[in-house]
Amino acid sequence: MSTASVPLPNWINYGLIPLLNLVVAFLISGFVVWLIGESPLAALSLLIEGAFGSGEGIGFTLYYATSFIFTGLSVAVAIHAGLFNIGSEGQAYIGGLGCALVALALDHYVPWYVTMPIAIVGAGIFGAAWAFIPAFLQAKRGSHIVITTIMFNYIAAALMVYLLVHVLIVPGKMAPETRTFLEGGQLPKLGWLMSIFGAKLGAAPFNVSFIIALLAAWFVWILIWRTKLGFEMRTLGVSSTAAAYAGIPYARIVIIAMLISGALAGMMALNPVMGSSARLQVEFVGGAGFVGIAVSLMGRNHPLGIIFSAILFGTLYQGGDWISFEMPNITREMILVIQGLVILFAGALEYMFRPAMVHIYQQLKRA
Amino acid sequence: MDYYDIFINVLSSTVRLSIPLIFTALAGLFSERAGIFDIGLEGKMLGSAFAAACVAYLTGSAWLGLGAGVVCSVALSLVHGFASITNRGNQIVSGVAINFFIAGITIVLGQAWFGQGGRTPQLAPEARFAPIILPGADAVHDIPIIGPLYASVISGNNILTYLAFLAVPFSWWVLYRTRFGLRLRAVGENPGAVDTAGISVSWLRYRAVMCAGILCGFSGTYLAIAQSAAFIKDMSAGKGYIALAALVFAKWKPVPVMFACLLFGFLDALANFMQGKQVPLVGEVPVQVFQALPYILTCILLAGFIGVAIPPKAGGVPYTKER
């Protein structure tokens, strides 16, 4: 019998194997650090110190994690329906436009708690709209969603640069960005939440969208495991022929799943645009859409797993900044190396250790 | 400058900008025709550019640089093969991983070794592939129409440019006129049949991804030591994805791949040329329009409005023997 079909207990499948993948990815990253001539252990302790050593560090870690929860959920919802959405990056970028337009229109007139729900809807609708065309092409014309979403990332980038340079730019300014939102368009920071735990937030832009992200994770959990639509999506994800046989409408589910995925990606924009910089800037997404792929894979496409892995990647981002500050030899791009390795081992090579695990498990069970 | 000079100018930069696309798209062709999706083209291109620039700088030899570029790119292909063929992992995920890893490691190592913010030092002329002046280029220069075309577009390119244009018929010959090519295409359509015929699916696919690696090595090398004189961080700048678009646009066929790459190269050249210039009736066309055009065209093609692009049937699906 093939080892792939031997059932393993959940703690091995969802705990030990991902942990093992993560450890291997970190060992290789450590090797790279060693190759450069720095101590991997010193780098690791700097990473932890940078991410958790101060209230400000924790604030930054959670700020990054907030963005990654949104994009991770976005990727996961699509994966449950058997769709690989590489376009979260572009959808988040366009979502930022929706969010900024709402903030620019309302910030003179109403307080933030009125602006925020409308901005969430705006960001969601813009993100979903950007996901709609690839979804439609996949559902109705059979064009591969991976290819079309990649194309749409680049189209989004070109469109946004055009809008920021030619349309939304503040007259007389050089920087391609919108004007700064007034207080009515800014999300308040969560300093009070941090002070409950006795930590000071400092300059970290940790803000209300973290709570929205947690709510979104809860919503995704309900959607995927507690609704008919979620069941249909998962059926489609396991086997599209079985789904068709069961009378599940392929085109409809594909489009709905991608709309939800795009909306979640779009909502990520709340965090950097309204929560941090209070304006729309070029390339504000900064690769968070792609990090979402790693976050979702690492979290096994489960909202709870995604929250934990988003915090892990937040740690890497904030701690990585700290390392590059303290060890000038190691640049910030070390994060990309670790990220690539995590994606490789947790995603593409996820079954590499499985046969060995099955072997050991069977030995133990016999003993 | 009269219109013909402008035309020659745009044409020669079209050729220059198309070369990396041609190599990379042909690389994707080999891989995808064998049923292995390759999103990692971008990463392989960037990685080989870095390796080529480092080795060319250290040894002073362009040919050793090319060798290093190819070795690096083939190594990455083998990682992709190990993940997606041997371990039956998700091919898209593996490609994404390679892109991330390379985007980071080239800058990290570049900074650690050379300390110039992720760049490699400027290369000496002999460490690069120099332009080759074809015989008679000076003599015919003054002949109208043909002269400038021969002197500025056909002559004066480096050896990799000529190799790229030779690689197109060669790829066609390999894919359509050799036993290896026939089997390679078969494994992308119906691996089960190839397996039944007693031919190893894995080994065939490994050879296909290695072909892709070699070709990507050429494109990265071209970027770093033929077009430029150093590795600059993120110098592939999405060209791997444009090549992927060209591959889809060309419906996975070698000769159309060349024309698609020339078209996308032309759009790029036009974008550079049109910057800040007025078009009659339209006014200034934003450069972003040209940048987005290859992607938009590919999506329109994929939507089936200009013919249908049918990918290899077994693409993206790991082969499981015991089914």
Side-chain angles (χ1 to χ4, degrees), chain B residues 234-247:
Chain B
D234 199 28
M235 76 184 305
S236 56
K239 286 196 181 63
Y241 295 110
I242 292 248
L244 204 62
L247 179 63

Side-chain angles (χ1 to χ4, degrees), chain A residues 185-202:
Chain A
Q186 296 183 14
L187 298 181
K189 292 187 181 179
L190 287 177
W192 57 269
L193 186 68
M194 297 282 283
S195 59
I196 294 175
F197 301 100
K200 280 207 185 72
L201 189 56

